[in-house]
Amino acid sequence: MNRWFCKELFAKELRDIIRWTPVGMVIVGLLCWQSMPSINQNYGSLASSTMAMTSIGFAIVAIGLAWLQSLPDMRTDARSFLLQRPVSLIALFISKLVAGAVAYYIAILPPLMIMSFRLELLGPESYPTRWTDIVPSLLVTPIVFMLHPAAMWTAFRSARWVGTKILPLAFTACAVLIANTLITVLDESYVFAVFGLVLVIGYGVTIRAAWLAFSEETFMPTQSSSPVRSIGLIVASLAVVTTAAVFVIESQPRTTQRNLVTYSLAADETGELWELKNQYADGRQTVGEEMKIERRKASLEGRTTSEFESLPADWKAMRSVDLANLLRKSWMNSYDRMGQASSGNTSSGWVSLLRRDGRVWVYGWNGNLQSTMTPEGVFFPVGMKPKGRFGRVTLINNAFASAEVSVNLAQNPLLIDEDGVYQFNLEHRQIRKIIDTPVQRVGLSLPVESGADQVASLWVQNGDRLTHYRATSASDQPLDATTDRVIAATQSYPMPMLEAEKLAEFRIDPPKENSYWQLTPIGSSRAIVTELLGPFRYRVNIRDAESREDVASGIVSLTPSSNSHRFSREMLPLPPGLVLVGVAIMRATSAPEVWDAQVAAIRSQPYFIVAFFVHSILSALLANLLCRTRDISRRGRIAWTALASLFGASMLLAIVAIHSKPVCETCDRCAKLRRVDRSDCEHCGAQWEPLPREGVEVIADWLPEQSPSSATLA
């Protein structure tokens, strides 16, 4: 007979629980139905929303099947019958686990297959869906199944309180949530290794702990000091206590008002850089006062030491332009959501734009496909085959109206692609290429002042070249100023069809693909390029057109905002050790000005430091006392006291969950409580009184040290 697996027992387990799989099918089926696209459904992210919704059903099925398999076997009669079979314990455990996995997939796969068939029928005419939208849900099925052995762990585990009995589920739930979060960005280079590590640790600890609980519950008292189970329960206690405490504190109303001071970088019309100080109260204007804005000159050699001064009456900050990156392909969703655009062809006045297979798919408010776009034109889905293909096409449907406010393009937005910039008009079924050059990033700025010559600006970056284009209206519709009363009130800009003319070209250092990069034009021949290096630190390059050298360059360090790196009340229940580790990591990795801001925050909030120390000391004292009530060894008390000082009050729950309170009776000699699982009293050394004899006992006066058979073998 196979020591690791028993086919007969597997068949018996599967027969016992397969009758419950229709219930699981109904649960998962209802959640799949709830996830189906509708008029009110955000179908652009259908795959991720379906994965989140169905994961709940998978968890219910996994936990339910495990308890249906395990709890009945914990009855004395059923367990005795099970253990009388000539099957090893490991074979019993693995057979249960494999039978649960088979029943789990029998319950969840049919609803997913039906949903994939339905999605394929709906798309693309009715909704932007494909059968591949259920692939992320399929990928999370083995992750969520981790809750099955976790539920077995809770069933086999001996605990007096239901809270500590089901505590292992918290550890496994943390691993499942982390893995499900990582799977959404699985295409990142470093994420796959972290994802695999989380799965290995989660499954390793859970299955090992479940096996120990199953095997040790069978023949002997549980060895509560098992390292694997202790790790799982410590992490679970940490997650449960910290989350509950933060939730309780966050739910309390805020009564104190905190003045907020922020700092920003701006340039004036001459190209001079200034650090602006903006003073608010809780993010709003102080009651009865004007919002205070002051300035001082920014230094390209680090932090400025000059004093702030009031803004001149004629102060005017130049607009900065954010250059948009090309949209990355999402591995999860079959359609990448690009944004919305206005259209007079629909009753709602707007349409949703999505990207797939090099085409832009235009859907109405009710999900019906309106048209598709390619570089060759706007095509309707019936009777016309789209031609051409886009690359990483991206929608630009907003632009800066001033240094602080942006507006939406109410009509004729832009599309940027790797080979140029396009503009489309859905009412006239028209798409035009207005800039024919390779593109990596594009920025748009609109005219501010009213006048005879109102033009917009387009900035195109490709490699080390930044090109400035002058954009004018290609029709009778003028380019309105963003200061127009209607535009300012609605924050909606009526963009006409444009034509672009090259004005100047700048040589720059190519930015990193995912870096935050901002451009501030000064006239038509100078530009300030700002790259964010970290909190409050910017690399600034000032370039003239056609020049390969910087006019000026350097690192600008701004003053940290008044609330930066400050402790908040939600941090009070955090483990003191984790706070200390976070501060140490910041000290080792952050820039000097960031660390200075942290030190200033610590000095301004000494009561938080006192609270962290009190939390640590009280937790250590209570942990030591709790260990004594559970008769834990001196070495164990030292370990738990150290853990409590680092991780706080959550370790008290871990001690209760891992170490059961010993059962005691009063000693007949010293009248103190003594443990019933020891042969002598730990206080006076007295032995247990022999049980009264009934006269039918046969008691030997002497027992041999070895039985005859063992003596012969020896």
Side-chain angles (χ1 to χ4, degrees):
M1 181 177 293
N2 192 331
R3 178 176 179 270
W4 298 95
F5 187 74
C6 177
K7 293 188 293 184
E8 293 77 11
L9 185 60
F10 164 76
K12 174 258 180 191
E13 290 288 335
L14 190 59
R15 284 195 305 269
D16 288 345
I17 61 172
I18 200 171
R19 63 177 180 269
W20 293 100
T21 54
V23 178
M25 292 181 191
V26 172
I27 294 173
V28 177
L30 289 174
L31 293 172
C32 287
W33 174 76
Q34 184 68 26
S35 303
M36 291 296 292
S38 63
I39 292 177
N40 299 321
Q41 174 76 16
N42 183 13
Y43 42 74
S45 57
L46 176 64
S48 55
S49 61
T50 301
M51 183 188 76
M53 187 70 72
T54 54
S55 294
I56 300 174
F58 301 160
I60 295 173
V61 172
I63 295 173
L65 290 176
W67 282 346
L68 288 170
Q69 286 181 271
S70 305
L71 292 178
D73 288 343
M74 295 305 294
R75 300 197 318 267
T76 303
D77 54 347
R79 193 164 185 81
S80 300
F81 176 74
L82 183 65
L83 296 177
Q84 292 302 317
R85 303 187 179 207
V87 182
S88 64
L89 280 179
I90 189 65
L92 289 173
F93 180 77
I94 292 178
S95 299
K96 283 180 171 290
L97 191 63
V98 175
V102 173
Y104 171 77
Y105 278 101
I106 290 175
I108 67 175
L109 286 182
L112 290 179
M113 295 300 103
I114 294 173
M115 183 177 182
S116 67
F117 181 72
R118 176 63 176 165
L119 292 177
E120 191 67 20
L121 289 179
L122 289 176
E125 287 79 10
S126 298
Y127 294 101
T129 60
R130 297 185 68 194
W131 70 269
T132 54
D133 284 323
I134 70 158
V135 170
S137 298
L138 289 173
L139 290 179
V140 301
T141 55
I143 300 174
V144 180
F145 182 72
M146 196 188 306
L147 292 169
H148 181 276
M152 294 175 65
W153 181 5
T154 63
F156 298 138
R157 162 180 159 74
S158 58
R160 299 181 182 179
W161 179 45
V162 66
T164 55
K165 188 174 182 64
I166 65 174
L167 190 61
L169 285 175
F171 165 78
T172 309
C174 289
V176 170
L177 290 175
I178 294 173
N180 282 9
T181 303
L182 291 175
I183 207 172
T184 61
V185 289
L186 203 57
D187 51 344
E188 298 285 350
S189 57
Y190 66 92
V191 171
F192 193 81
V194 179
F195 174 75
L197 181 63
V198 171
L199 282 186
V200 170
I201 294 176
Y203 262 112
V205 172
T206 302
I207 293 180
R208 176 64 177 169
W211 156 246
L212 291 175
F214 174 76
S215 59
E216 294 174 1
E217 177 71 17
T218 303
F219 293 117
M220 64 187 75
T222 57
Q223 298 177 1
S224 298
S225 59
S226 170
V228 174
R229 280 181 294 183
S230 298
I231 291 173
L233 293 173
I234 287 173
V235 174
S237 302
L238 189 62
V240 169
V241 173
T242 303
T243 303
V246 170
F247 177 79
V248 170
I249 292 176
E250 180 62 25
S251 63
Q252 302 302 314
R254 296 184 183 273
T255 56
T256 58
Q257 189 178 34
R258 299 176 299 173
N259 292 329
L260 177 63
V261 182
T262 61
Y263 300 85
S264 59
L265 187 65
D268 60 17
E269 293 177 312
T270 65
E272 190 77 34
L273 289 174
W274 298 86
E275 181 180 6
L276 300 184
K277 177 181 178 181
N278 308 276
Q279 190 162 5
Y280 302 88
D282 279 339
R284 299 183 298 273
Q285 179 179 329
T286 306
V287 177
E289 295 182 1
E290 294 289 334
M291 185 174 62
K292 298 177 181 178
I293 303 179
E294 299 175 321
R295 73 173 187 176
R296 69 179 177 184
K297 284 189 177 182
S299 172
L300 294 177
E301 298 179 355
R303 183 177 297 180
T304 305
T305 57
S306 60
E307 297 296 327
F308 284 96
E309 61 185 24
S310 300
L311 282 181
D314 59 346
W315 161 260
K316 180 180 178 182
M318 299 302 294
R319 280 185 302 170
S320 295
V321 181
D322 289 325
L323 272 68
N325 277 306
L326 295 174
L327 183 66
R328 293 184 57 187
K329 175 71 176 72
S330 170
W331 79 268
M332 288 187 62
N333 300 302
S334 56
Y335 290 80
D336 294 320
R337 186 175 181 83
M338 302 172 62
Q340 293 181 345
S342 63
S343 173
N345 297 331
T346 61
S347 58
S348 64
W350 59 266
V351 291
S352 294
L353 274 64
L354 300 100
R355 184 186 70 178
R356 181 174 75 86
D357 296 338
R359 287 178 279 176
V360 176
W361 301 71
V362 183
Y363 284 85
W365 68 275
N366 58 354
N368 291 325
L369 180 62
Q370 302 293 314
S371 60
T372 58
M373 283 191 292
T374 72
E376 306 300 326
V378 180
F379 300 88
F380 280 80
V382 180
M384 300 184 70
K385 292 185 178 181
K387 301 177 181 178
R389 289 292 185 271
F390 286 113
R392 294 168 56 189
V393 63
T394 304
L395 175 69
I396 296 182
N397 58 357
N398 59 71
F400 276 97
S402 64
E404 298 87 12
V405 181
S406 64
V407 295
N408 297 318
L409 304 183
Q411 60 188 27
N412 306 326
L414 304 179
L415 291 175
I416 61 174
D417 197 18
E418 296 166 337
D419 64 342
V421 180
Y422 298 82
Q423 189 178 24
F424 64 91
N425 185 304
L426 294 176
E427 286 80 3
H428 296 87
R429 308 174 191 177
Q430 180 185 13
I431 183 169
R432 294 174 55 246
K433 193 174 195 178
I434 59 176
I435 296 179
D436 188 5
T437 186
V439 171
Q440 288 182 334
R441 301 184 187 213
V442 171
L444 170 66
S445 61
L446 300 171
V448 179
E449 303 294 340
S450 300
D453 186 22
Q454 293 181 183
V455 298
S457 291
L458 280 166
W459 297 83
V460 176
Q461 180 261 323
N462 180 50
D464 64 346
R465 296 179 183 272
L466 176 65
T467 308
H468 180 201
Y469 290 87
R470 179 176 183 268
T472 57
S473 175
S475 64
D476 296 335
Q477 179 183 348
L479 273 165
D480 294 327
T482 55
T483 52
D484 180 83
R485 181 173 56 86
V486 176
I487 295 175
T490 61
Q491 293 188 355
S492 181
Y493 188 83
M495 173 74 82
M497 296 300 290
L498 301 176
E499 56 185 14
E501 176 187 0
K502 181 178 177 180
L503 284 184
E505 187 173 275
F506 301 82
R507 294 297 183 90
I508 62 171
D509 298 326
K512 298 178 181 179
E513 182 178 358
N514 296 321
S515 63
Y516 177 74
W517 200 70
Q518 199 173 56
L519 170 71
T520 305
I522 307 297
S524 59
S525 60
R526 177 166 290 188
I528 302 176
V529 179
T530 307
E531 181 181 1
L532 181 65
L533 299 179
F536 323 117
R537 298 184 75 234
Y538 298 87
R539 176 182 286 116
V540 177
N541 299 88
I542 304 176
R543 293 289 179 97
D544 280 340
E546 306 298 341
S547 174
R548 292 180 176 270
E549 302 295 332
D550 291 329
V551 175
S553 63
I555 305 297
V556 176
S557 297
L558 299 182
T559 306
S561 58
S562 60
N563 67 341
S564 61
H565 304 296
R566 288 176 62 87
F567 297 117
S568 63
R569 64 181 189 177
E570 293 80 9
M571 297 180 65
L572 287 174
L574 293 182
L578 295 185
V579 175
L580 182 63
V581 170
V583 173
I585 293 175
M586 176 177 289
R587 179 67 182 91
T589 60
S590 60
E593 58 270 15
V594 177
W595 175 246
D596 291 344
Q598 180 65 74
V599 172
I602 293 174
R603 289 175 177 173
S604 66
Q605 297 175 293
Y607 45 87
F608 273 93
I609 305 301
V610 173
F612 288 138
F613 274 106
V614 170
H615 182 192
S616 177
I617 294 172
L618 283 180
S619 299
L621 292 175
L622 292 175
N624 190 279
L625 293 175
L626 194 59
C627 288
R628 293 179 183 276
T629 63
R630 275 157 169 71
D631 199 21
I632 300 175
S633 65
R634 180 174 180 273
R635 184 177 178 182
R637 290 199 303 271
I638 294 174
W640 280 116
T641 302
L643 286 174
S645 65
L646 289 176
F647 297 114
S650 57
M651 292 301 98
L652 304 179
L653 177 60
I655 295 173
V656 173
I658 294 173
H659 298 282
S660 58
K661 191 173 183 180
V663 179
C664 299
E665 289 186 2
T666 302
C667 178
D668 294 333
R669 177 185 295 181
C670 64
K672 295 182 179 180
L673 292 177
R674 59 177 291 183
R675 296 182 57 157
V676 299
D677 56 347
R678 295 183 58 170
S679 59
D680 57 342
C681 177
E682 58 267 30
H683 304 291
C684 64
Q687 300 288 326
W688 289 104
E689 291 293 335
L691 295 174
R693 298 183 181 182
E694 298 180 359
V696 296
E697 296 86 355
V698 177
I699 301 176
D701 296 329
W702 172 81
L703 293 175
E705 293 183 2
Q706 292 179 324
S707 63
S709 58
S710 61
T712 303
L713 291 174

